[in-house]
Amino acid sequence: MRPLHFPWQNIAAILLCVAAGLTLPLMAAEAPAPMTSATVVLILFLLVGSAVLTLFRTPAIVNAAILFVGAHAAAWLLLAGVTGNEGTARLPFFLLIAAGWLLAWRCVTVLTHLKPRTGLANSLLRLIIPAIFGVWILIVWEAATRGAGIPFILLPPPSSIAARIAGSLPILAADVRQTIFKAVLIGYLIGCGSGFLVAILADRIAFLRRGLLPIGNLVSALPIIGVAPIMVMWFGFDWQSKAAVVVIMTFFPMLVNTVAGLAAAGQMERDLMRTYASDYWQTLLKLRLPAAAPFIFNALKINSTLALIGAIVAEFFGTPIVGMGFRISTEIGRMNVDMVWAEIAVAAVAGSVFYGVVALIERSVTFWHPSIRGG
């Protein structure tokens, strides 16, 4: 037999399962449809079995698979059992959820130590690890809200939010089209583009550089809730006013980062370009802009989230009867909390995708930079 090892997550999970087994049942006596004894035994078998099996020094990928199946199958059975029995879960239920979470933690730990041999395997691993982490945030959220009977108005469970998203796809699509594909994208392109061009001028003209950067710090400190209503008064209630807010929020981060990036090229490299008789524009295109690329993409990534926040907040102060900010402010007044969370979830996914696209473009453009080569 191969030697054993004793990860603390496995040991803690086994102890939690023992404690839960000694304090059964999982549900209070008044539960409408308590879990059967066979289901409870199966849950304990999955958790304890996967924890014990992975004590052996088997291949890491096998251990990860066992932990993954055991933790998530047990969690699915626990959540299925508490659905319809909201507010009746007892301490053993939460102990078993904690045991599954510990095994998922161990699964992620094992996966992080794998050494993929191909680029595809490495990319899949980079997706699986955060996916497991995110799924368990939702599992714990679902278990806490349903098991403890948290009022729906305070915090709806993720399953209710998912059901609301599935049932409101046309409304959510219209809101995304109004907020993201009009206000955010147009404002983002104008704000980042103009900030980049003005940074080039400021780098060329010392007067602009010394005058604009202090103003940039001032404008960056302006509260959006003060700027948004003014933009609505100037540009109307449609998406143009929200795009104007996005322009203001994205212009100066791009300006400041680009100016800093243009100064990143070393003096030795500049002297070398001068020995080649390069003029300002040749030096800018072949040396200084490539050196500034990490700064520029840093501004693009920062602005990808600022733009979405700015557009949504601006819609609180006047908009047609469509848009993510409009929907949030309207539905919270009607106490439709699940719809509010649905809009928040869609905004979070959209912002993450936007950020991810910019990051992928950055990796393809600045592949030579040490931060990219290092992974």
Side-chain angles (χ1 to χ4, degrees), residues 4-300:
L4 299 175
H5 65 142
F6 298 95
W8 70 268
Q9 294 98 331
N10 293 45
I11 303 303
I14 293 172
L15 293 176
L16 288 175
C17 289
V18 172
L22 294 175
T23 54
L24 292 174
L26 300 184
M27 302 294 170
E30 62 271 16
M35 282 186 277
T36 63
S37 300
T39 303
V40 175
V41 171
L42 178 58
I43 293 170
L44 290 171
F45 173 78
L46 287 169
L47 293 173
V48 176
S50 56
V52 171
L53 285 176
T54 52
L55 294 178
F56 297 96
R57 293 190 182 275
T58 51
I61 189 66
V62 175
N63 276 348
I66 294 172
L67 290 167
F68 180 87
V69 172
H72 291 85
W76 183 82
L77 290 172
L78 286 166
L79 294 181
V82 79
T83 302
N85 297 309
E86 286 79 2
T88 62
R90 298 178 65 248
L91 179 61
F93 173 84
F94 297 104
L95 292 179
L96 294 180
I97 287 289
W101 171 70
L102 287 171
L103 294 182
W105 183 350
R106 179 59 188 168
C107 176
V108 170
T109 303
V110 173
L111 290 174
T112 56
H113 289 91
L114 292 178
K115 304 295 183 184
R117 297 182 179 180
T118 64
L120 178 60
N122 185 57
S123 299
L124 289 174
L125 192 62
R126 290 166 65 92
L127 291 174
I128 290 172
I129 291 174
I132 295 174
F133 189 89
V135 164
W136 271 91
I137 292 177
L138 298 179
I139 290 173
V140 172
W141 180 354
E142 182 84 12
T145 51
R146 291 196 181 276
I150 295 176
F152 186 88
I153 196 67
L154 296 180
L155 185 63
S159 58
S160 297
I161 299 171
R164 169 61 79 166
I165 292 174
S168 306
L169 289 179
I171 296 175
L172 294 172
D175 292 341
V176 167
R177 183 168 57 252
Q178 173 73 14
T179 301
I180 296 178
F181 290 102
K182 291 183 179 179
V184 172
L185 285 182
I186 294 175
Y188 180 84
L189 292 174
I190 295 174
C192 292
S194 58
F196 176 78
L197 294 176
V198 173
I200 300 296
L201 291 176
D203 179 74
R204 184 66 170 165
I205 305 172
F207 168 75
L208 288 177
R209 183 169 62 253
R210 295 177 180 177
L212 276 177
L213 292 184
I215 295 176
N217 295 329
L218 174 65
V219 174
S220 298
L222 292 178
I224 184 176
I225 59 174
V227 174
I230 296 174
M231 294 298 104
V232 171
M233 293 176 62
W234 286 1
F235 297 100
F237 288 92
D238 210 347
W239 61 267
Q240 292 88 347
S241 57
K242 288 66 183 179
V245 173
V246 173
V247 170
I248 294 174
M249 294 192 67
T250 57
F251 176 83
F252 285 101
M254 174 58 74
L255 171 66
V256 172
N257 277 274
T258 304
V259 169
L262 291 173
Q267 190 62 43
M268 184 179 298
E269 291 85 357
R270 298 188 191 191
D271 291 340
L272 179 62
M273 294 297 292
R274 279 193 290 269
T275 63
Y276 292 153
S278 299
D279 60 18
Y280 172 81
W281 296 108
Q282 289 174 324
T283 303
L284 178 69
L285 293 174
K286 297 181 179 180
L287 172 65
R288 301 182 67 203
L289 278 179
F295 293 83
I296 295 171
F297 277 103
N298 186 51
L300 290 172

